[in-house]
Amino acid sequence: MTFSTAHSAPVQAQFRENSDNFLDESIPQSKETGVVLPDLPNNVSAVTEKAAPVYKPWAHFVAGAAGGLTAATLTSPLDVLKTRLQSDFYQSQIAASRAAKGITPSTQLSIPRSALLHFSETFQILFSIHRVEGWRALFKGLGPNLIGVVPARAISFFAYGNGKRIISERFNDGQEAAWVHMSAAATAGVITSTATNPIWLVKTRLQLDKSNAEKTGTQSVRQYKNALDCTVQTIRREGIRGLYRGLSASYLGVSESTLQWVLYERIKKNLGNREARLIASGRQPTVWDQTVAWTGKVGAAGSAKFFAAIVTYPHEVVRTRLRQAPMENGQLKYTGLMQCFKTIWKEEGMASLYGGLTPHLMRVVPSAAIMFGM
């Protein structure tokens, strides 16, 4: 079958004209790309294929370093207060002050009254540091603290993020689970504690050494000039092993970071499921929904840290005691993990195992929220 050229030409012209009108009227145009898809109704969602995200192992390292730097700077005053309250030097000072005021020892008080007394004394000491020593005293040890916090958080985030990926891929078909989070967190805790223990030991000794010097009102009793001098003296008197005093308590403290990571991942998963249900329902988000969306991650981090810190706090006190410098006769008062626990319990009572808990919570909870929320 054939068509004459004269007859088909008007038909082709009419078709082109109708096609142009259809494109002009029915399909929106874009200056950049020409024809684009029409707007979809509200109840129809466009299906787009997203490119798989490029995995960057160093991202965890950078995120941890940035978060640790910010959190350590903002919470430095509470770190100074916590370290002083954990030391036996300040505990003896508090006991003497209570005796002079006729206050019943905390071991003879009920738990609520003892907690209230600890809370009030904590703020009294915090305000006295600013009043007696000046505002700069609230940032003592910040240098070594930053030197320790930045690599510690960077290593922790790096080890946890990559450990979680490797464990899930090799042992759980690429699926995350509570035991995967727990294994990754424990591994990250051991690696971080081992790598950074010398830094924390120097920071602790510098803070306590400055405290002792200022209490006596003289510079002559200050044992260490700076962080380098503290490191050199520690190696000279105690050997390389001296830099790792308190490491056993740090390993015990891995349970805190492990519990924190597991709780955080669980809460974060629940928040994600909640958001998915909200989207699937098609309803408009309420003010509460928007609040949860904005503060959910920060709240999850703070809540996880709060619970984990309370449950595992005694190891913090033991770790600080183990890191204290030797006594004037060169002997160590605390020689091991269990010996330290028993000595504190026998001489000072159970309450001393929670010395400094208030400033610790005031420091680590917002610190975790800042670090994980960045």
Side-chain angles (χ1 to χ4, degrees):
M1 179 183 294
T2 59
F3 297 94
S4 65
T5 305
H7 177 72
S8 62
V11 175
Q12 293 175 359
Q14 182 67 27
F15 177 78
R16 283 196 299 269
E17 182 180 356
N18 293 339
S19 299
D20 293 339
N21 292 337
F22 174 78
L23 291 176
D24 291 339
E25 298 176 2
S26 303
I27 302 180
Q29 303 292 309
S30 169
K31 293 180 181 179
E32 291 82 7
T33 59
V35 177
V36 297
L37 292 174
D39 294 334
L40 296 173
N42 293 333
N43 59 348
V44 179
S45 59
V47 178
T48 58
E49 182 178 352
K50 293 183 178 180
V54 180
Y55 185 77
K56 300 177 180 178
W58 55 266
H60 296 288
F61 192 90
V62 175
L69 176 66
T70 305
T73 303
L74 295 177
T75 61
S76 178
L78 297 173
D79 183 58
V80 173
L81 179 61
K82 179 209 71 170
T83 304
R84 293 188 179 189
L85 286 173
Q86 288 177 343
S87 69
D88 54 4
F89 175 81
Y90 262 82
Q91 287 298 322
S92 62
Q93 293 291 324
I94 293 174
S97 175
R98 290 175 180 173
K101 296 178 181 178
I103 300 176
T104 305
S106 59
T107 54
Q108 301 177 14
L109 296 174
S110 63
I111 293 179
R113 291 187 61 189
S114 178
L116 182 61
L117 179 62
H118 170 73
F119 192 77
S120 62
E121 288 177 339
T122 296
F123 281 95
Q124 289 176 7
I125 295 175
L126 178 62
F127 295 142
S128 68
I129 292 175
H130 174 270
R131 184 174 61 255
V132 176
E133 306 173 36
W135 66 269
R136 290 188 178 183
L138 296 173
F139 292 89
K140 285 177 179 177
L142 179 58
N145 198 17
L146 291 178
I147 294 175
V149 163
V150 173
R153 298 310 179 196
I155 293 172
S156 178
F157 272 64
F158 180 83
Y160 177 76
N162 290 281
K164 182 174 66 173
R165 175 180 59 85
I166 293 173
I167 293 173
S168 63
E169 289 178 354
R170 296 192 176 183
F171 302 102
N172 203 36
D173 297 327
Q175 301 297 317
E176 293 188 11
W179 71 267
V180 173
H181 300 153
M182 185 177 297
S183 301
T187 303
V190 170
I191 294 174
T192 304
S193 298
T194 305
T196 60
N197 194 81
I199 301 174
W200 298 128
L201 179 132
V202 171
K203 188 267 296 185
T204 300
R205 292 192 175 184
L206 282 176
Q207 287 184 333
L208 296 179
D209 183 48
K210 290 183 177 182
S211 300
N212 292 334
E214 282 143 5
K215 270 290 181 182
T216 56
T218 175
Q219 296 290 331
S220 60
V221 298
R222 182 169 292 168
Q223 185 175 355
Y224 308 114
K225 298 177 181 178
N226 48 47
L228 178 61
D229 182 55
C230 179
T231 304
V232 172
Q233 288 195 41
T234 300
I235 296 176
R236 184 184 301 128
R237 297 178 180 180
E238 306 170 50
I240 295 295
R241 292 182 59 184
L243 293 175
Y244 287 89
R245 288 185 53 78
L247 184 59
S248 57
S250 294
Y251 286 157
L252 182 62
V254 169
S255 59
E256 178 185 352
S257 60
T258 301
L259 181 59
Q260 177 192 353
W261 274 111
V262 172
L263 291 174
Y264 173 71
E265 293 285 0
R266 176 59 58 182
I267 298 173
K268 190 172 68 171
K269 182 179 180 180
N270 291 337
L271 291 172
N273 293 337
R274 184 183 187 278
E275 184 177 359
R277 289 194 300 268
L278 176 63
I279 295 175
S281 67
R283 67 178 178 85
Q284 290 296 323
T286 63
V287 176
W288 173 249
D289 293 328
Q290 294 175 351
T291 302
V292 171
W294 279 95
T295 63
K297 192 175 181 181
V298 174
S303 301
K305 187 64 177 181
F306 180 82
F307 182 80
I310 290 180
V311 172
T312 62
Y313 183 74
H315 90 274
E316 292 271 353
V317 176
V318 172
R319 184 171 60 189
T320 296
R321 300 290 182 93
L322 288 172
R323 287 173 176 169
Q324 290 180 171
M327 297 182 291
E328 293 181 359
N329 58 7
Q331 299 296 319
L332 294 170
K333 181 176 181 179
Y334 306 105
T335 57
L337 184 66
M338 295 309 299
Q339 184 267 348
C340 185
F341 268 112
K342 292 178 180 178
T343 302
I344 296 174
W345 184 287
K346 181 180 179 180
E347 295 183 354
E348 306 170 39
M350 180 180 178
S352 292
L353 290 174
Y354 289 88
L357 177 61
T358 299
H360 179 69
L361 292 177
M362 293 172 62
R363 183 181 71 89
V364 299
V365 172
S367 175
I370 293 169
M371 187 165 47
F372 282 75
M374 285 191 62

